[in-house]
C-alpha cells in the first residue's frame, strides 16, 4: 500500500443517481468523498425522453426538498407543464400511477387515510435521468466531492483501517468503500456479497422504431395470448416477451428481431424498417443478503435489482442513500451510538424485499395465461374502489413507508410531515444541513435542554399552522420521525429516542 496516497473518508464506485446523491449526503456531513465512475461520458440517449423518464415517489421528493435540490431537479418539468398547460390538467381523470399497467386515479384516492400527511411537495413527479444526474453531479462538485470519470473499479482489498481500490490501472484509498455501481456491481462481486432471488421470466424491450405500416398497431397497452405490448404514437414500443429472459444481453437488438417479437406478441403483420433506439431488460429480482461487509457497503441497484415495472428502483436506491449517509458519517466521525450503522440494513433490506415482491406480483399479472387474465379482471375492479386506489397509491407513491423504530406514537418511523411554522419556514427548510431536528411547538425549556445533550440536533421552537395534535417531535437527519410527543410530551421517551440516534455532546 502506497503511504503517500491521499486517503478519502469514503470512495464511492459509480456516479449514477444513487452514488451522486450519497456523495452529497456524506460531503454535507463534512467527509472527504471520491466518486469513481466507469463511463467517460455521463450523457446517453437512454437517459432522456422517452426511455429515460423516471417517476419520483413521495420519499424521494421529500428527500430532495429537505436538501434544497427539488427546485433544480423539477425545473424542466415545471417549465414544460407551464408551456403546455400540463397534459394531465386536460384529462378528465388524472392518473396517479399503475400496477402492471392498470391505472389508479387521483379522484378515487382517500387521502383522509393518511392523517399525518400535510399538503407539501409530495405526490409523484417525473424527471429525466440525465437531468437528475446533472443536478446531483453539479451539487456534489460544488460541495467539494471529487468525481473521476472513465475509471471503473476493478477490485479492492480491505483491512481494519481502510480499503485500497483498483480502478483503470490506478490505486485509490478510502476509509470506506461504497458500491453504487449498478445492477452488475463489481464491488458486490469482488466483495463476495451473497446475491439471491428469482430468475427472469421475460425479456422486456423499449424501442423507438421506424415502421412501414404503423397503422396496423392500436395505441395503448395490450395483453395478448403471447405477452404484452404498449404502442405510443408515432414510434415508441414497449414489449414483454415471456422467453425466460433468454434474449436479454445475449444478442444484438436488430430491426428484424424487434419485428419478429412485435409480430409474435401483437399478432399484427407490421414491418419494422429501422431502429432509432432500443434496449432490453428483464424481471430478474435479486437482493444482496447483507449490505455491509467490514468497510464495504452497497446501495442502490448494486444491492437489489428487479424489473422496472412500476418504476421503483431509483426511488429505492435514493432512499438507501438518504438512510445511509448520516449514519456512515457519524460512524466515521466517531460519534455514532452503538448499532447506528447496522440500522441501515435493518431498515432498508425489508424495504428492498417488499419492492422486489411488488415487481414480482406485477409479473404474475402479466403472464400470457388465462389465470393472469382472471387476476387482471379482479385487480381492475379493486383498483377502481376507494380503498383499492388508496392502497395502490400508498404503495406506489411510497406513502406506506414506515421503519420499525418502536415508539408509542403512530408517526414514529414515518417521514415527518412538512409542518409550516409560524415564521413561514417549513420543516424541510430546517433539514438542509443534514442534522437532526427537535421541533418544539410549545417552546419548553426541558426540551431545549434535552436537545443540547446530543450532537447534531438543531432545536427549533415555535408554533405551527397545523400541529396535527402534536406538541413536539424529534426528526432524524433523513427526515424520519424518531419521537413524537402529544399534549404533555414524555421527555424521558424523547431522551431515549435521542440517545438511540445521536451521539452524546
Ligand atoms: C427502462 C427503465 C425504466 C425505469 N423506470 C424507473 C422509474 O420510473 N422509477 C424508478 O424509481 N426507477 C426506474 N428504473 C430503475 C432505475 O433506473 C435504477 O434503479 C436506478 O438508475 C439505479 O440507480 P443506481 O445509481 O443505483 O445505478 P445506475 O443508475 O445503474 O448507476 C450505476 C453507475 O455506476 C457505473 N458503474 C458501473 N460499474 C462500475 C464500476 N465497476 N466502477 C465504477 N462505476 C461503475 C455506471 O456507469 C453507472 O453510472 C427504470 C429502469 C429501467 C431500465
Amino acid at each position: 500500500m502506497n503511504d503517500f496516497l491521499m486517503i478519502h473518508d469514503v470512495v464511492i464506485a459509480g456516479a449514477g443517481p444513487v452514488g451522486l446523491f450519497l456523495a452529497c449526503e456524506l460531503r454535507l456531513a463534512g467527509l472527504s468523498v471520491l466518486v469513481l465512475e466507469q463511463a467517460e461520458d455521463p450523457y446517453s440517449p437512454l437517459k432522456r425522453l422517452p426511455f429515460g423518464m423516471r417517476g419520483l415517489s413521495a420519499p424521494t421528493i421529500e428527500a430532495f426538498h429537505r436538501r434544497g435540490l427539488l427546485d433544480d431537479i423539477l425545473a424542466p418539468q415545471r417549465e414544460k407543464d407551464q408551456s403546455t398547460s400540463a397534459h394531465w390538467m386536460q384529462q378528465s381523470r388524472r392518473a396517479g400511477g399503475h400496477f402492471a399497467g392498470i391505472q389508479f386515479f387521483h379522484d378515487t384516492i382517500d387521502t383522509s387515510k393518511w392523517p399525518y400527511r400535510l399538503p407539501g411537495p409530495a405526490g409523484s413527479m417525473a424527471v429525466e435521468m440525465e437531468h437528475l444526474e446533472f443536478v446531483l453531479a453539479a451539487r456534489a462538485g460544488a460541495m467539494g466531492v471529487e468525481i473521476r470519470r472513465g475509471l471503473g473499479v476493478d477490485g479492492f482489498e480491505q483491512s481494519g483501517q481502510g480499503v485500497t481500490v483498483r480502478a483503470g490501472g490506478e490505486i485509490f484509498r478510502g476509509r470506506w468503500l461504497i458500491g453504487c455501481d449498478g445492477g452488475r456491481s463489481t464491488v458486490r462481486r469482488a466483495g463476495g456479497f451473497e446475491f439471491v432471488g428469482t430468475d427472469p421470466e421475460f425479456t422486456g424491450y423499449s424501442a423507438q422504431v421506424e415502421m412501414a405500416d404503423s397503422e396496423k398497431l392500436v395505441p395503448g397497452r395490450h395483453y395478448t395470448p403471447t405477452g404484452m405490448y404498449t404502442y405510443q404514437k408515432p414510434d415508441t414500443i414497449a414489449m414483454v416477451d415471456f422467453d425466460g429472459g433468454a434474449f436479454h444481453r445475449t444478442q444484438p437488438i436488430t430491426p428484424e428481431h424487434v419485428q419478429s417479437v412485435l409480430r409474435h406478441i401483437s399478432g399484427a403483420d407490421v414491418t419494422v424498417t429501422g431502429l432509432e433506439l432500443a434496449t432490453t431488460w428483464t424481471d430478474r429480482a435479486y437482493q444482496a443478503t447483507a449490505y455491509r461487509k467490514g468497510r464495504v457497503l452497497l446501495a442502490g441497484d448494486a444491492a437489489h435489482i428487479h424489473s422496472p415495472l412500476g418504476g421503483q428502483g431509483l426511488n429505492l436506491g435514493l432512499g438507501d442513500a438518504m438512510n445511509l449517509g448520516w449514519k456512515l458519517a457519524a460512524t466515521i466521525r466517531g460519534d455514532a451510538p452503538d448499532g447506528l450503522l447496522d440500522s441501515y440494513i435493518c431498515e432498508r433490506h425489508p424495504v428492498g424485499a417488499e419492492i422486489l415482491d411488488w415487481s414480482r406480483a406485477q409479473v404474475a399479472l402479466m403472464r400470457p395465461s388465462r389465470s393472469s387474465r382472471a387476476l387482471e379482471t379482479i385487480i381492475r375492479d379493486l383498483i377502481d374502489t376507494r380503498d383499492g386506489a388508496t392502497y395502490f397509491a400508498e404503495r406506489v407513491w411510497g406513502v406506506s413507508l414506515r421503519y420499525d423504530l418502536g415508539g408509542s406514537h403512530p408517526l414514529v418511523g414515518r417521514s415527518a410531515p412538512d409542518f409550516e411554522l409560524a415564521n413561514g419556514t417549513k420543516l424541510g427548510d430546517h433539514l438542509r444541513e443534514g442534522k437532526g431536528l427537535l421541533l418544539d411547538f410549545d417552546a419548553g425549556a426541558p426540551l431545549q435542554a434535552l436537545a443540547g445533550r446530543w450532537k447534531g440536533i438543531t432545536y427549533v421552537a415555535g408554533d405551527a399552522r397545523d400541529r396535527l395534535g402534536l406538541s413536539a417531535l424529534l426528526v432524524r437527519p433523513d427526515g424520519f420521525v424518531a419521537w413524537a410527543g402529544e399534549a404533555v410530551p414524555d421527555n424521558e421517551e424523547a431522551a431515549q429516542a435521542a440517545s438511540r440516534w445521536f451521539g452524546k455532546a
Side-chain angles (χ1 to χ4, degrees), residues 14-19 36-39 53-55 129 151-153 180-182 186 281 300-301 308 311-315:
V18 175
L36 300 172
E37 164 58 46
Q38 177 173 267
M53 263 344 248
R54 298 286 183 272
M129 273 282 270
L151 283 175
V153 170
C180 297
D181 48 346
T186 301
W281 34 277
D301 277 14
Q312 307 241 8
L314 171 68
N315 294 296

PDB file of all heavy atoms in Angstrom, residues 14-19 36-39 53-55 129 151-153 180-182 186 281 300-301 308 311-315, ligand 1:
ATOM      1  N   GLY A  14     -19.267   4.438  -8.809  1.00  0.00           N
ATOM      2  CA  GLY A  14     -20.487   4.690  -9.563  1.00  0.00           C
ATOM      3  C   GLY A  14     -21.060   6.081  -9.346  1.00  0.00           C
ATOM      4  O   GLY A  14     -21.408   6.448  -8.224  1.00  0.00           O
ATOM      5  N   ALA A  15     -21.122   6.846 -10.449  1.00  0.00           N
ATOM      6  CA  ALA A  15     -21.727   8.188 -10.398  1.00  0.00           C
ATOM      7  C   ALA A  15     -23.100   8.150 -11.050  1.00  0.00           C
ATOM      8  O   ALA A  15     -23.435   9.005 -11.865  1.00  0.00           O
ATOM      9  CB  ALA A  15     -20.823   9.210 -11.073  1.00  0.00           C
ATOM     10  N   GLY A  16     -23.882   7.140 -10.717  1.00  0.00           N
ATOM     11  CA  GLY A  16     -25.301   7.140 -11.086  1.00  0.00           C
ATOM     12  C   GLY A  16     -26.023   8.013 -10.069  1.00  0.00           C
ATOM     13  O   GLY A  16     -25.384   8.634  -9.200  1.00  0.00           O
ATOM     14  N   PRO A  17     -27.333   8.065 -10.137  1.00  0.00           N
ATOM     15  CA  PRO A  17     -28.057   8.933  -9.192  1.00  0.00           C
ATOM     16  C   PRO A  17     -27.806   8.587  -7.721  1.00  0.00           C
ATOM     17  O   PRO A  17     -27.686   9.484  -6.884  1.00  0.00           O
ATOM     18  CB  PRO A  17     -29.524   8.720  -9.569  1.00  0.00           C
ATOM     19  CG  PRO A  17     -29.562   7.529 -10.466  1.00  0.00           C
ATOM     20  CD  PRO A  17     -28.225   7.396 -11.087  1.00  0.00           C
ATOM     21  N   VAL A  18     -27.696   7.294  -7.424  1.00  0.00           N
ATOM     22  CA  VAL A  18     -27.525   6.898  -6.019  1.00  0.00           C
ATOM     23  C   VAL A  18     -26.133   7.286  -5.516  1.00  0.00           C
ATOM     24  O   VAL A  18     -25.986   7.872  -4.433  1.00  0.00           O
ATOM     25  CB  VAL A  18     -27.799   5.386  -5.842  1.00  0.00           C
ATOM     26  CG1 VAL A  18     -27.515   4.940  -4.417  1.00  0.00           C
ATOM     27  CG2 VAL A  18     -29.248   5.073  -6.216  1.00  0.00           C
ATOM     28  N   GLY A  19     -25.100   6.993  -6.312  1.00  0.00           N
ATOM     29  CA  GLY A  19     -23.736   7.341  -5.910  1.00  0.00           C
ATOM     30  C   GLY A  19     -23.575   8.847  -5.738  1.00  0.00           C
ATOM     31  O   GLY A  19     -22.952   9.320  -4.773  1.00  0.00           O
ATOM     32  N   LEU A  36     -15.703   7.320  -8.204  1.00  0.00           N
ATOM     33  CA  LEU A  36     -15.066   6.755  -9.392  1.00  0.00           C
ATOM     34  C   LEU A  36     -16.158   6.233 -10.312  1.00  0.00           C
ATOM     35  O   LEU A  36     -16.955   5.381  -9.904  1.00  0.00           O
ATOM     36  CB  LEU A  36     -14.131   5.610  -8.999  1.00  0.00           C
ATOM     37  CG  LEU A  36     -12.991   5.989  -8.048  1.00  0.00           C
ATOM     38  CD1 LEU A  36     -12.255   4.746  -7.570  1.00  0.00           C
ATOM     39  CD2 LEU A  36     -12.020   6.960  -8.724  1.00  0.00           C
ATOM     40  N   GLU A  37     -16.199   6.751 -11.535  1.00  0.00           N
ATOM     41  CA  GLU A  37     -17.261   6.360 -12.475  1.00  0.00           C
ATOM     42  C   GLU A  37     -16.621   5.727 -13.709  1.00  0.00           C
ATOM     43  O   GLU A  37     -15.715   6.290 -14.310  1.00  0.00           O
ATOM     44  CB  GLU A  37     -18.096   7.589 -12.860  1.00  0.00           C
ATOM     45  CG  GLU A  37     -18.977   7.450 -14.089  1.00  0.00           C
ATOM     46  CD  GLU A  37     -19.992   6.316 -14.032  1.00  0.00           C
ATOM     47  OE1 GLU A  37     -20.676   6.166 -12.999  1.00  0.00           O
ATOM     48  OE2 GLU A  37     -20.094   5.569 -15.039  1.00  0.00           O
ATOM     49  N   GLN A  38     -17.161   4.578 -14.062  1.00  0.00           N
ATOM     50  CA  GLN A  38     -16.628   3.820 -15.199  1.00  0.00           C
ATOM     51  C   GLN A  38     -16.780   4.564 -16.524  1.00  0.00           C
ATOM     52  O   GLN A  38     -15.855   4.605 -17.332  1.00  0.00           O
ATOM     53  CB  GLN A  38     -17.403   2.515 -15.249  1.00  0.00           C
ATOM     54  CG  GLN A  38     -17.088   1.586 -16.358  1.00  0.00           C
ATOM     55  CD  GLN A  38     -17.843   0.281 -16.129  1.00  0.00           C
ATOM     56  OE1 GLN A  38     -17.303  -0.656 -15.536  1.00  0.00           O
ATOM     57  NE2 GLN A  38     -19.081   0.238 -16.535  1.00  0.00           N
ATOM     58  N   ALA A  39     -17.949   5.141 -16.769  1.00  0.00           N
ATOM     59  CA  ALA A  39     -18.211   5.769 -18.068  1.00  0.00           C
ATOM     60  C   ALA A  39     -17.501   7.116 -18.167  1.00  0.00           C
ATOM     61  O   ALA A  39     -17.484   7.893 -17.218  1.00  0.00           O
ATOM     62  CB  ALA A  39     -19.713   5.951 -18.258  1.00  0.00           C
ATOM     63  N   MET A  53     -37.193   8.682 -18.717  1.00  0.00           N
ATOM     64  CA  MET A  53     -38.074   9.319 -17.725  1.00  0.00           C
ATOM     65  C   MET A  53     -38.185   8.425 -16.491  1.00  0.00           C
ATOM     66  O   MET A  53     -38.370   7.221 -16.604  1.00  0.00           O
ATOM     67  CB  MET A  53     -39.477   9.485 -18.309  1.00  0.00           C
ATOM     68  CG  MET A  53     -39.843  10.800 -18.910  1.00  0.00           C
ATOM     69  SD  MET A  53     -38.842  12.184 -18.556  1.00  0.00           S
ATOM     70  CE  MET A  53     -39.918  13.175 -17.567  1.00  0.00           C
ATOM     71  N   ARG A  54     -38.086   9.012 -15.313  1.00  0.00           N
ATOM     72  CA  ARG A  54     -38.201   8.242 -14.071  1.00  0.00           C
ATOM     73  C   ARG A  54     -39.211   8.919 -13.156  1.00  0.00           C
ATOM     74  O   ARG A  54     -39.133  10.133 -12.915  1.00  0.00           O
ATOM     75  CB  ARG A  54     -36.861   8.188 -13.324  1.00  0.00           C
ATOM     76  CG  ARG A  54     -35.741   7.502 -14.103  1.00  0.00           C
ATOM     77  CD  ARG A  54     -35.940   5.999 -14.131  1.00  0.00           C
ATOM     78  NE  ARG A  54     -34.863   5.295 -14.811  1.00  0.00           N
ATOM     79  CZ  ARG A  54     -34.813   5.036 -16.116  1.00  0.00           C
ATOM     80  NH1 ARG A  54     -35.777   5.433 -16.914  1.00  0.00           N
ATOM     81  NH2 ARG A  54     -33.802   4.374 -16.636  1.00  0.00           N
ATOM     82  N   GLY A  55     -40.143   8.116 -12.625  1.00  0.00           N
ATOM     83  CA  GLY A  55     -41.120   8.649 -11.669  1.00  0.00           C
ATOM     84  C   GLY A  55     -40.475   8.761 -10.296  1.00  0.00           C
ATOM     85  O   GLY A  55     -39.738   7.873  -9.880  1.00  0.00           O
ATOM     86  N   MET A 129     -33.516  11.134 -16.327  1.00  0.00           N
ATOM     87  CA  MET A 129     -32.311  10.671 -15.621  1.00  0.00           C
ATOM     88  C   MET A 129     -31.121  11.588 -15.887  1.00  0.00           C
ATOM     89  O   MET A 129     -30.344  11.894 -14.997  1.00  0.00           O
ATOM     90  CB  MET A 129     -31.941   9.265 -16.099  1.00  0.00           C
ATOM     91  CG  MET A 129     -32.625   8.173 -15.374  1.00  0.00           C
ATOM     92  SD  MET A 129     -31.879   7.873 -13.775  1.00  0.00           S
ATOM     93  CE  MET A 129     -30.676   6.649 -14.227  1.00  0.00           C
ATOM     94  N   LEU A 151     -13.044   5.785 -14.980  1.00  0.00           N
ATOM     95  CA  LEU A 151     -12.280   4.922 -14.076  1.00  0.00           C
ATOM     96  C   LEU A 151     -13.216   3.900 -13.430  1.00  0.00           C
ATOM     97  O   LEU A 151     -13.860   4.188 -12.425  1.00  0.00           O
ATOM     98  CB  LEU A 151     -11.612   5.759 -12.979  1.00  0.00           C
ATOM     99  CG  LEU A 151     -10.363   6.544 -13.357  1.00  0.00           C
ATOM    100  CD1 LEU A 151      -9.909   7.400 -12.176  1.00  0.00           C
ATOM    101  CD2 LEU A 151      -9.230   5.606 -13.776  1.00  0.00           C
ATOM    102  N   GLY A 152     -13.320   2.738 -14.045  1.00  0.00           N
ATOM    103  CA  GLY A 152     -14.171   1.673 -13.493  1.00  0.00           C
ATOM    104  C   GLY A 152     -13.429   0.929 -12.393  1.00  0.00           C
ATOM    105  O   GLY A 152     -12.257   0.573 -12.562  1.00  0.00           O
ATOM    106  N   VAL A 153     -14.086   0.700 -11.286  1.00  0.00           N
ATOM    107  CA  VAL A 153     -13.466  -0.057 -10.194  1.00  0.00           C
ATOM    108  C   VAL A 153     -13.318  -1.521 -10.640  1.00  0.00           C
ATOM    109  O   VAL A 153     -14.273  -2.138 -11.094  1.00  0.00           O
ATOM    110  CB  VAL A 153     -14.329   0.043  -8.911  1.00  0.00           C
ATOM    111  CG1 VAL A 153     -13.848  -0.931  -7.846  1.00  0.00           C
ATOM    112  CG2 VAL A 153     -14.313   1.468  -8.382  1.00  0.00           C
ATOM    113  N   CYS A 180     -21.945   1.710  -5.487  1.00  0.00           N
ATOM    114  CA  CYS A 180     -23.185   2.255  -6.074  1.00  0.00           C
ATOM    115  C   CYS A 180     -23.059   2.051  -7.577  1.00  0.00           C
ATOM    116  O   CYS A 180     -23.427   2.920  -8.370  1.00  0.00           O
ATOM    117  CB  CYS A 180     -23.333   3.741  -5.762  1.00  0.00           C
ATOM    118  SG  CYS A 180     -23.497   4.103  -4.016  1.00  0.00           S
ATOM    119  N   ASP A 181     -22.479   0.911  -7.945  1.00  0.00           N
ATOM    120  CA  ASP A 181     -22.111   0.693  -9.342  1.00  0.00           C
ATOM    121  C   ASP A 181     -23.129  -0.168 -10.084  1.00  0.00           C
ATOM    122  O   ASP A 181     -22.775  -0.912 -10.996  1.00  0.00           O
ATOM    123  CB  ASP A 181     -20.682   0.122  -9.445  1.00  0.00           C
ATOM    124  CG  ASP A 181     -20.424  -1.056  -8.495  1.00  0.00           C
ATOM    125  OD1 ASP A 181     -21.233  -1.266  -7.574  1.00  0.00           O
ATOM    126  OD2 ASP A 181     -19.416  -1.750  -8.685  1.00  0.00           O
ATOM    127  N   GLY A 182     -24.389  -0.037  -9.718  1.00  0.00           N
ATOM    128  CA  GLY A 182     -25.476  -0.587 -10.516  1.00  0.00           C
ATOM    129  C   GLY A 182     -25.678  -2.089 -10.402  1.00  0.00           C
ATOM    130  O   GLY A 182     -25.009  -2.781  -9.628  1.00  0.00           O
ATOM    131  N   THR A 186     -19.507  -4.476  -9.647  1.00  0.00           N
ATOM    132  CA  THR A 186     -18.200  -5.120  -9.437  1.00  0.00           C
ATOM    133  C   THR A 186     -17.893  -5.197  -7.943  1.00  0.00           C
ATOM    134  O   THR A 186     -17.333  -6.176  -7.459  1.00  0.00           O
ATOM    135  CB  THR A 186     -17.098  -4.284 -10.137  1.00  0.00           C
ATOM    136  OG1 THR A 186     -17.412  -4.200 -11.514  1.00  0.00           O
ATOM    137  CG2 THR A 186     -15.722  -4.908  -9.961  1.00  0.00           C
ATOM    138  N   TRP A 281     -34.474  -5.384 -21.002  1.00  0.00           N
ATOM    139  CA  TRP A 281     -34.409  -5.529 -19.551  1.00  0.00           C
ATOM    140  C   TRP A 281     -35.180  -6.792 -19.190  1.00  0.00           C
ATOM    141  O   TRP A 281     -35.850  -7.374 -20.054  1.00  0.00           O
ATOM    142  CB  TRP A 281     -34.983  -4.302 -18.842  1.00  0.00           C
ATOM    143  CG  TRP A 281     -36.124  -3.640 -19.552  1.00  0.00           C
ATOM    144  CD1 TRP A 281     -36.024  -2.725 -20.566  1.00  0.00           C
ATOM    145  CD2 TRP A 281     -37.537  -3.857 -19.353  1.00  0.00           C
ATOM    146  NE1 TRP A 281     -37.289  -2.361 -21.007  1.00  0.00           N
ATOM    147  CE2 TRP A 281     -38.230  -3.029 -20.278  1.00  0.00           C
ATOM    148  CE3 TRP A 281     -38.277  -4.646 -18.494  1.00  0.00           C
ATOM    149  CZ2 TRP A 281     -39.621  -2.988 -20.355  1.00  0.00           C
ATOM    150  CZ3 TRP A 281     -39.669  -4.604 -18.563  1.00  0.00           C
ATOM    151  CH2 TRP A 281     -40.320  -3.778 -19.494  1.00  0.00           C
ATOM    152  N   GLY A 300     -28.361   1.146  -3.628  1.00  0.00           N
ATOM    153  CA  GLY A 300     -28.968   1.260  -4.961  1.00  0.00           C
ATOM    154  C   GLY A 300     -29.021  -0.080  -5.675  1.00  0.00           C
ATOM    155  O   GLY A 300     -29.061  -1.146  -5.043  1.00  0.00           O
ATOM    156  N   ASP A 301     -28.993  -0.021  -7.024  1.00  0.00           N
ATOM    157  CA  ASP A 301     -29.106  -1.259  -7.814  1.00  0.00           C
ATOM    158  C   ASP A 301     -27.987  -2.244  -7.493  1.00  0.00           C
ATOM    159  O   ASP A 301     -28.149  -3.447  -7.740  1.00  0.00           O
ATOM    160  CB  ASP A 301     -29.060  -0.926  -9.321  1.00  0.00           C
ATOM    161  CG  ASP A 301     -30.424  -0.508  -9.866  1.00  0.00           C
ATOM    162  OD1 ASP A 301     -31.324  -0.213  -9.059  1.00  0.00           O
ATOM    163  OD2 ASP A 301     -30.582  -0.464 -11.103  1.00  0.00           O
ATOM    164  N   PRO A 308     -38.168  -2.974 -14.140  1.00  0.00           N
ATOM    165  CA  PRO A 308     -38.565  -1.569 -13.988  1.00  0.00           C
ATOM    166  C   PRO A 308     -40.077  -1.362 -13.902  1.00  0.00           C
ATOM    167  O   PRO A 308     -40.522  -0.221 -13.802  1.00  0.00           O
ATOM    168  CB  PRO A 308     -37.985  -0.887 -15.236  1.00  0.00           C
ATOM    169  CG  PRO A 308     -37.682  -1.953 -16.201  1.00  0.00           C
ATOM    170  CD  PRO A 308     -37.577  -3.255 -15.456  1.00  0.00           C
ATOM    171  N   GLY A 311     -41.779   1.335 -11.847  1.00  0.00           N
ATOM    172  CA  GLY A 311     -40.793   2.389 -11.630  1.00  0.00           C
ATOM    173  C   GLY A 311     -40.445   2.649 -10.172  1.00  0.00           C
ATOM    174  O   GLY A 311     -40.806   3.684  -9.620  1.00  0.00           O
ATOM    175  N   GLN A 312     -39.727   1.728  -9.545  1.00  0.00           N
ATOM    176  CA  GLN A 312     -39.427   1.928  -8.124  1.00  0.00           C
ATOM    177  C   GLN A 312     -37.935   1.893  -7.814  1.00  0.00           C
ATOM    178  O   GLN A 312     -37.530   2.271  -6.721  1.00  0.00           O
ATOM    179  CB  GLN A 312     -40.117   0.840  -7.309  1.00  0.00           C
ATOM    180  CG  GLN A 312     -41.598   0.734  -7.602  1.00  0.00           C
ATOM    181  CD  GLN A 312     -42.456   0.985  -6.397  1.00  0.00           C
ATOM    182  OE1 GLN A 312     -41.973   1.382  -5.359  1.00  0.00           O
ATOM    183  NE2 GLN A 312     -43.739   0.769  -6.515  1.00  0.00           N
ATOM    184  N   GLY A 313     -37.104   1.394  -8.749  1.00  0.00           N
ATOM    185  CA  GLY A 313     -35.697   1.130  -8.429  1.00  0.00           C
ATOM    186  C   GLY A 313     -34.915   2.365  -8.041  1.00  0.00           C
ATOM    187  O   GLY A 313     -34.132   2.354  -7.083  1.00  0.00           O
ATOM    188  N   LEU A 314     -35.111   3.427  -8.777  1.00  0.00           N
ATOM    189  CA  LEU A 314     -34.386   4.662  -8.478  1.00  0.00           C
ATOM    190  C   LEU A 314     -34.776   5.180  -7.091  1.00  0.00           C
ATOM    191  O   LEU A 314     -33.929   5.575  -6.283  1.00  0.00           O
ATOM    192  CB  LEU A 314     -34.720   5.707  -9.547  1.00  0.00           C
ATOM    193  CG  LEU A 314     -34.219   7.118  -9.280  1.00  0.00           C
ATOM    194  CD1 LEU A 314     -32.703   7.176  -9.339  1.00  0.00           C
ATOM    195  CD2 LEU A 314     -34.818   8.102 -10.283  1.00  0.00           C
ATOM    196  N   ASN A 315     -36.066   5.159  -6.821  1.00  0.00           N
ATOM    197  CA  ASN A 315     -36.553   5.649  -5.522  1.00  0.00           C
ATOM    198  C   ASN A 315     -36.012   4.796  -4.377  1.00  0.00           C
ATOM    199  O   ASN A 315     -35.637   5.315  -3.330  1.00  0.00           O
ATOM    200  CB  ASN A 315     -38.082   5.628  -5.516  1.00  0.00           C
ATOM    201  CG  ASN A 315     -38.648   6.621  -6.505  1.00  0.00           C
ATOM    202  OD1 ASN A 315     -38.447   7.814  -6.347  1.00  0.00           O
ATOM    203  ND2 ASN A 315     -39.322   6.153  -7.531  1.00  0.00           N
TER     204      ASN A 315
HETATM  205  C1  LIG B   1     -36.437   1.160 -18.710  1.00  0.00           C
HETATM  206  C2  LIG B   1     -36.276   1.509 -17.241  1.00  0.00           C
HETATM  207  C3  LIG B   1     -37.218   2.340 -16.632  1.00  0.00           C
HETATM  208  C4  LIG B   1     -37.098   2.641 -15.253  1.00  0.00           C
HETATM  209  N1  LIG B   1     -38.018   3.476 -14.669  1.00  0.00           N
HETATM  210  C5  LIG B   1     -37.900   3.781 -13.352  1.00  0.00           C
HETATM  211  C6  LIG B   1     -38.815   4.707 -12.703  1.00  0.00           C
HETATM  212  O1  LIG B   1     -39.738   5.242 -13.313  1.00  0.00           O
HETATM  213  N2  LIG B   1     -38.631   4.959 -11.371  1.00  0.00           N
HETATM  214  C7  LIG B   1     -37.626   4.368 -10.678  1.00  0.00           C
HETATM  215  O2  LIG B   1     -37.539   4.604  -9.444  1.00  0.00           O
HETATM  216  N3  LIG B   1     -36.732   3.532 -11.262  1.00  0.00           N
HETATM  217  C8  LIG B   1     -36.825   3.230 -12.578  1.00  0.00           C
HETATM  218  N4  LIG B   1     -35.908   2.422 -13.166  1.00  0.00           N
HETATM  219  C9  LIG B   1     -34.795   1.888 -12.363  1.00  0.00           C
HETATM  220  C10 LIG B   1     -33.691   2.943 -12.163  1.00  0.00           C
HETATM  221  O3  LIG B   1     -33.256   3.478 -13.388  1.00  0.00           O
HETATM  222  C11 LIG B   1     -32.500   2.326 -11.421  1.00  0.00           C
HETATM  223  O4  LIG B   1     -32.974   1.644 -10.288  1.00  0.00           O
HETATM  224  C12 LIG B   1     -31.522   3.425 -10.996  1.00  0.00           C
HETATM  225  O5  LIG B   1     -30.921   4.006 -12.133  1.00  0.00           O
HETATM  226  C13 LIG B   1     -30.442   2.858 -10.071  1.00  0.00           C
HETATM  227  O6  LIG B   1     -29.504   3.857  -9.766  1.00  0.00           O
HETATM  228  P1  LIG B   1     -28.036   3.459  -9.314  1.00  0.00           P
HETATM  229  O7  LIG B   1     -27.307   4.739  -9.150  1.00  0.00           O
HETATM  230  O8  LIG B   1     -28.104   2.504  -8.195  1.00  0.00           O
HETATM  231  O9  LIG B   1     -27.454   2.609 -10.536  1.00  0.00           O
HETATM  232  P2  LIG B   1     -27.175   3.080 -12.028  1.00  0.00           P
HETATM  233  O10 LIG B   1     -28.134   4.113 -12.470  1.00  0.00           O
HETATM  234  O11 LIG B   1     -27.082   1.821 -12.814  1.00  0.00           O
HETATM  235  O12 LIG B   1     -25.743   3.767 -11.932  1.00  0.00           O
HETATM  236  C14 LIG B   1     -24.592   2.992 -11.689  1.00  0.00           C
HETATM  237  C15 LIG B   1     -23.384   3.772 -12.177  1.00  0.00           C
HETATM  238  O13 LIG B   1     -22.219   3.006 -11.875  1.00  0.00           O
HETATM  239  C16 LIG B   1     -21.370   2.997 -13.006  1.00  0.00           C
HETATM  240  N5  LIG B   1     -20.535   1.785 -12.903  1.00  0.00           N
HETATM  241  C17 LIG B   1     -20.849   0.517 -13.238  1.00  0.00           C
HETATM  242  N6  LIG B   1     -19.830  -0.310 -12.937  1.00  0.00           N
HETATM  243  C18 LIG B   1     -18.861   0.456 -12.397  1.00  0.00           C
HETATM  244  C19 LIG B   1     -17.577   0.189 -11.863  1.00  0.00           C
HETATM  245  N7  LIG B   1     -17.071  -1.062 -11.849  1.00  0.00           N
HETATM  246  N8  LIG B   1     -16.849   1.213 -11.374  1.00  0.00           N
HETATM  247  C20 LIG B   1     -17.335   2.479 -11.390  1.00  0.00           C
HETATM  248  N9  LIG B   1     -18.531   2.796 -11.892  1.00  0.00           N
HETATM  249  C21 LIG B   1     -19.302   1.798 -12.372  1.00  0.00           C
HETATM  250  C22 LIG B   1     -22.312   3.023 -14.191  1.00  0.00           C
HETATM  251  O14 LIG B   1     -21.658   3.511 -15.342  1.00  0.00           O
HETATM  252  C23 LIG B   1     -23.384   3.982 -13.687  1.00  0.00           C
HETATM  253  O15 LIG B   1     -23.076   5.321 -13.960  1.00  0.00           O
HETATM  254  C24 LIG B   1     -36.008   2.104 -14.518  1.00  0.00           C
HETATM  255  C25 LIG B   1     -35.060   1.289 -15.161  1.00  0.00           C
HETATM  256  C26 LIG B   1     -35.180   0.987 -16.494  1.00  0.00           C
HETATM  257  C27 LIG B   1     -34.160   0.104 -17.145  1.00  0.00           C
END
